Amino acid sequence: MLGTVYLVGAGPGNPDLITVRGLECLRRAQVVVYDRLVSRSLLAETAPESELIYVGKEGGGFHTLPQAAISQLLVDKARAGLTVCRLKGGDPFVFGRGGEEAIALRRAGIPFEVVPGVTAGVGVPTFAGIPLTHRGMASTVVFVTGHEAAELRSGTDWAGLAASSATLVCYMGLGRLAEVRDELLRYGRPADTPAAVIHWGTRAEQRVVIGTLDDLPERARELAQPAIVVIGQVVDLREVMDWAEQRPLFGRRVLLPAPLEEPAEAAAELAMAVRDRGGEPWVFPRRPEAPAWREVELLRQELSTGGIHLAVVTSPSAAHFLFHTLGESASLLHEVPFLCKTPETAAALARYDVRVQVAGDLGGLLGDSALLNGLAAGGRR
Ligand code: SAH
């Protein structure tokens, strides 16, 4: 029997932004084929016995595996009778080459389903407080790619875009930002048009740089891919609409160890508190069973790239569980500030030689920016 391939949009980076259907497909897949923009946190949702295959699409358009080989891989796995989740950043059909994969599957007679995702061009500006349309300001939005110089000349009507007041959303545009600007200025878009570059939007790593069409390439020099460029009057609205970056836990991925003997609801409640304050919770483990090797490895990777910015530990057993499970990799936790509720937990943590702050009222503390900033001062942030 043929397996089914699910082409799933993972959303723009924040793991909460995958759809309900997308998460369901990801959790039950036997094979998961993913690319670079997919967060580790989502990979931790895969079934422990599933096969994970990285096909490394780089933001600049370079692929470790050629597109034809990726399509062939999906066909082969489905022919072997396996359920496949092809997990792609954003939406599969927006600058994601999902169309090519769908054509290959159709030609091979493989059943497939496409699960839409929040595309970066929509989700990322929203998290930067920039609405793409606004009454009286912009009633047209155009998604373009700044991917290749050749495309700049051929595929895209820059003269038309320059003449309109449409909001321009440019994917893969950072490397070609100066060329995009020159092209728009050449055809008459005003040099003082507000513009923004948003790096890793919706994730804890989100960074925003604001400028004008004219000076943005200069200002955004320090930002790296992946980034979305937004050009248009609506960028000015960020001043009143910036909502995500104002929240106390913005920019923090928060580790929440949840030992098996404690009720899962407690971890879920804490995760919600973190989310409500703008943080990105990382509950460990994801399932009410001992964490499989993969989940431990994903956490280890996240720690070693500085991706965990705070840990909240609710009991001595949670402390022991975390350090024992990580084994040798537990040394990576020394960079992370810890928060806990009671002196007993603090004493348990002290054995592992980490920086701890005790807070009887965790909820209150997680909402206190000044305290959180003080905590993080000695860490990597
Ligand atoms: N299919 C994807 C786009 C893939 S092209 C989608 O629908 O979003 C890859 C480009 O998307 C990157 O070069 C960058 O321009 C943009 N991108 C994806 N995720 C992003 C994020 N979190 N922040 C900023 N840009 C992002």
Side-chain angles (χ1 to χ4, degrees), residues 113-302:
E113 174 178 329
V114 186
V115 183
V118 177
T119 187
V122 172
V124 168
T126 296
F127 265 66
I130 301 171
L132 296 182
T133 67
H134 193 73
R135 230 170 152 63
M137 225 180 224
S139 56
T140 308
V141 186
V142 182
F143 292 151
V144 295
T145 167
H147 178 37
E148 279 168 20
E151 272 179 61
L152 276 183
R153 294 267 133 65
S154 60
T156 308
D157 173 20
W158 293 99
L161 293 179
S164 84
S165 61
T167 304
L168 297 188
V169 179
C170 192
Y171 291 69
M172 298 173 269
L174 193 57
R176 304 274 171 205
L177 189 51
E179 283 103 314
V180 168
R181 173 203 48 200
D182 294 348
E183 217 56 12
L184 290 170
L185 291 179
R186 188 148 74 97
Y187 292 112
R189 191 101 188 216
D192 62 357
T193 306
V197 177
I198 307 148
H199 166 74
W200 266 141
T202 77
R203 295 180 35 127
E205 289 79 11
Q206 173 171 314
R207 296 285 176 276
V208 182
V209 169
I210 301 290
T212 61
L213 178 56
D214 198 32
D215 68 14
L216 194 64
E218 191 63 22
R219 285 176 188 260
R221 240 201 253 147
E222 317 231 298
L223 291 192
Q225 297 275 19
I228 283 280
V229 181
V230 185
I231 300 166
Q233 214 60 49
V234 290
V235 170
D236 277 343
L237 294 170
R238 171 174 159 87
E239 218 166 295
V240 282
M241 285 185 203
D242 173 24
W243 58 276
E245 296 177 21
Q246 307 302 323
R247 302 197 290 177
L249 280 176
F250 168 78
R252 290 191 175 85
R253 196 169 285 110
V254 183
L255 179 60
L256 305 171
L260 307 182
E261 64 273 21
E262 288 180 14
E265 299 81 56
E269 215 167 278
L270 202 50
M272 178 117 69
V274 167
R275 244 177 235 124
D276 285 347
R277 290 160 178 78
E280 197 186 300
W282 183 301
V283 177
F284 178 78
R286 297 301 160 106
R287 286 171 209 74
E289 58 202 54
W293 177 83
R294 173 180 298 162
E295 208 184 327
V296 178
E297 173 57 19
L298 286 165
L299 176 57
R300 196 194 62 74
Q301 286 174 15
E302 195 69 25

